[in-house]
Amino acid sequence: MNMKRLRSAMTLLLCLLLLCTAAVASAATKKVSKTFTEVPTIRFTEAPSSGTASGKMNDFTISLSLPGFINLYLLDENGTIVQTIAKNQEIHSKASTFEFYAVDDDGEPLAPGNYVFSADMVSQFGVASKVVTKSTKIRENSDAEIAAKASANKKTASSSSSSSSSKSSSSSSSKATAAPKATPVPDTLEYGAGESKMGDEGLLIGVGVSDTAVQTDAGYWGLTADATDAELWAAITRKMVGVDVGENESAYIYDSPESNREKIGTVSGISQGLNVIVERGDGWALVEAFRNEDGAFVRGYIKADKLRPVEPNVNYGIVIDKAAQTLTILKDGVRVGSCKVSTGLASPKYPHRETPAGEFITVTRRGSYEYYGMGYTKYTIRINGSYYLSEIPTTKKNGTTFVQEVEAALGAKGTRGNICIAHDASTDGGINAEWIWNMTDSNKRVKVLIFDDKERSEVPVYSN
């Protein structure tokens, strides 16, 4: 009888333990589910609902609850896509501003009428959002409207160049108009010093760390753009360390390996290199890289199991100097030739347009690719997230008329992140976009070294 009671008690205890275990597992599952299965949300916070003149540009802003990859389309009244504004574009910030040109996919001005913006996305964990829409209008771009704008611009230019006495009369004249006052936006993005703090290794994180830290295997990171061809070739053929996620995905770098760590920036998948300073014994590594958000140079921590060695091509290499805006080809350590390029031009409103410096490898070859609603680029080769080596865009798909503002920017910054290359072969080695396309057809994982045009000590610490 006692034995039976004991067995019953043990059975009851075992059931209670199983129930507790199930409850804990269920709670853990709910926690994981909330982290990895959260449905992202999209909201149009600023959209040109009042209308955009046909053939002209306007801005709109979208807010996202999570980082991820967004699709943006313009639909006509029948629900037909007339323009692809973004396709699987990687977004890291909560609010992102897009430029919308009122043209179709062939670059022709859109007919006036009612249209709809359509947006959907997939989060960084692969969870899809609902489709969100926003109505807008395309207005007729009349000659009278153009003349009025030209007259207004002329008055503004005349006012800014007048003397102090004329400024006074201009000011009183402007009071009679209904033009709203706007805060001026600088033409260029200037980095401030920011704050820095000490990491576990006793090295400063953020500002100027690479100028003071001793590194025995600096590779590319210890070079400048005026390095010898032999030094460049050693960096080109050196094994690269990338992040083991997809080439159009990204991973965070943190300011600390501790539980209260904060993100200081992102780096793209396997195509972007990091310099590993220390591999710690706790599963973290101290690394440095140029982050994607604005091209700033940061040092921080990443999970060591996310790192993956990458063997680059040992036959060819590409060197880009952002200060000189040139691209140079090396083959077997010998300089083949060079050409002018145009890299990203950032601004306070669009800091993500800065083409990050660092080391990369060529990955997906996309051929013809839409260029931000302004036309189409040929010979596009991905090297970093959403940025590519590409030919300067043409106004129409497979066209021959080049987008004038991008073509004129060759030799200076002027793109939205892509490294745009001339159509015409250079006098120095016959290098152009088609030459690079043909070379990378049989040569995979060609390393691309991009030298920065800013002192690292001017780079800020990341802040939300």
Side-chain angles (χ1 to χ4, degrees):
M1 188 72 177
N2 291 337
M3 183 61 68
K4 288 183 179 180
R5 288 180 178 175
L6 178 61
R7 286 176 181 173
S8 298
M10 290 179 65
T11 302
L12 179 60
L13 179 60
L14 179 59
C15 290
L16 289 172
L17 287 172
L18 289 172
L19 286 172
C20 290
T21 303
V24 171
S26 176
T29 301
K30 287 181 179 178
K31 184 177 182 180
V32 171
S33 175
K34 185 177 179 180
T35 303
F36 293 98
T37 64
E38 182 179 351
V39 177
T41 59
I42 306 171
R43 185 165 58 93
F44 285 90
T45 53
E46 294 179 23
S49 56
S50 59
T52 302
S54 177
K56 296 300 180 180
M57 186 273 288
N58 213 329
D59 288 345
F60 64 92
T61 302
I62 285 184
S63 294
L64 309 176
S65 62
L66 294 171
F69 305 90
I70 192 167
N71 298 313
L72 287 171
Y73 305 100
L74 182 70
L75 313 178
D76 62 16
E77 288 184 293
N78 299 320
T80 303
I81 297 176
V82 295
Q83 186 188 131
T84 302
I85 302 169
K87 183 71 174 176
N88 290 329
Q89 184 169 330
E90 190 172 8
I91 301 296
H92 303 285
S93 56
K94 289 185 177 180
S96 298
T97 301
F98 291 84
E99 288 183 355
F100 159 65
Y101 285 81
V103 297
D104 61 21
D105 278 344
D106 288 327
E108 298 296 331
L110 288 171
N114 296 320
Y115 292 81
V116 174
F117 290 113
S118 174
D120 66 272
M121 68 171 291
V122 175
S123 76
Q124 59 185 336
F125 300 115
V127 181
S129 72
K130 293 181 179 179
V131 176
V132 177
T133 60
K134 175 73 174 179
S135 297
T136 189
K137 293 181 180 179
I138 304 299
R139 296 181 284 101
E140 184 176 356
N141 189 3
S142 65
D143 293 338
E145 182 183 10
I146 296 173
K149 288 184 178 180
S151 176
N153 291 338
K154 186 176 180 180
K155 288 180 180 179
T156 302
S158 175
S159 174
S160 62
S161 60
S162 62
S163 64
S164 58
S165 60
S166 63
K167 283 181 181 179
S168 175
S169 61
S170 174
S171 175
S172 61
S173 174
S174 64
K175 288 180 181 178
T177 68
K181 293 183 179 180
T183 302
V185 178
D187 293 331
T188 57
L189 182 67
E190 295 183 3
Y191 291 127
E195 296 180 354
S196 60
K197 60 182 179 180
M198 299 299 289
D200 286 353
E201 280 70 32
L203 303 174
L204 285 175
I205 299 172
V207 179
V209 293
S210 192
D211 298 329
T212 58
V214 176
Q215 300 174 35
T216 57
D217 185 22
Y220 156 75
W221 304 90
L223 297 181
T224 57
D226 59 357
T228 66
D229 287 352
E231 291 172 324
L232 292 173
W233 189 246
I236 286 170
T237 54
R238 168 181 177 251
K239 183 184 295 184
M240 190 180 87
V241 177
V243 180
D244 195 13
V245 296
E247 64 186 59
N248 64 343
E249 298 176 356
S250 60
Y252 289 111
I253 294 177
Y254 297 89
D255 65 347
S256 167
E258 304 300 329
S259 59
N260 60 345
R261 55 185 173 270
E262 295 182 2
K263 303 162 187 171
I264 60 174
T266 60
V267 288
S268 293
I270 201 65
S271 64
Q272 183 175 4
L274 300 87
N275 196 34
V276 180
I277 307 301
V278 177
E279 286 197 46
R280 297 154 47 98
D282 59 357
W284 289 86
L286 179 67
V287 300
E288 57 186 13
F290 292 85
R291 71 184 180 207
N292 289 323
E293 284 75 6
D294 55 8
F297 185 76
V298 295
R299 169 176 285 192
Y301 298 87
I302 193 169
K303 278 286 189 179
D305 59 7
K306 285 186 175 292
L307 302 178
R308 171 183 165 189
V310 180
E311 295 287 351
N313 189 287
V314 294
N315 299 315
Y316 283 91
I318 300 173
V319 178
I320 295 169
D321 183 355
K322 286 168 61 176
Q325 291 292 296
T326 57
L327 179 152
T328 301
I329 302 291
L330 276 75
K331 182 180 186 300
D332 298 327
V334 179
R335 188 177 183 275
V336 174
S338 64
C339 65
K340 290 182 179 180
V341 296
S342 180
T343 64
L345 177 61
S347 70
K349 190 174 183 180
Y350 304 109
H352 60 278
R353 289 183 180 174
E354 182 72 38
T355 304
E359 59 177 350
F360 308 87
I361 56 167
T362 58
V363 279
T364 300
R365 291 154 51 85
R366 298 194 64 168
S368 293
Y369 181 61
E370 187 180 9
Y371 186 78
Y372 304 105
M374 295 175 63
Y376 296 84
T377 60
K378 291 191 285 188
Y379 311 124
T380 59
I381 307 167
R382 189 200 298 274
I383 62 167
N384 180 36
S386 299
Y387 295 150
Y388 300 81
L389 296 170
S390 67
E391 187 178 70
I392 48 177
T394 52
T395 55
K396 295 184 179 181
K397 195 170 186 178
N398 295 322
T400 57
T401 303
F402 296 98
V403 175
Q404 186 176 6
E405 63 184 90
V406 184
E407 186 175 31
L410 284 173
K413 287 187 169 186
T415 77
R416 303 180 189 189
N418 279 7
I419 299 166
C420 284
I421 308 165
H423 167 76
D424 298 328
S426 69
T427 56
D428 180 12
I431 307 301
N432 63 359
E434 185 178 9
W435 191 100
I436 295 171
W437 175 263
N438 292 334
M439 180 269 288
T440 56
D441 185 28
S442 55
N443 291 274
K444 310 303 180 186
R445 301 190 306 277
V446 174
K447 186 176 282 191
V448 182
L449 298 184
I450 304 179
F451 287 95
D452 205 18
D453 57 341
K454 297 181 291 294
E455 293 293 332
R456 292 182 184 179
S457 59
E458 295 176 354
V459 174
V461 170
Y462 182 75
S463 59
N464 290 317

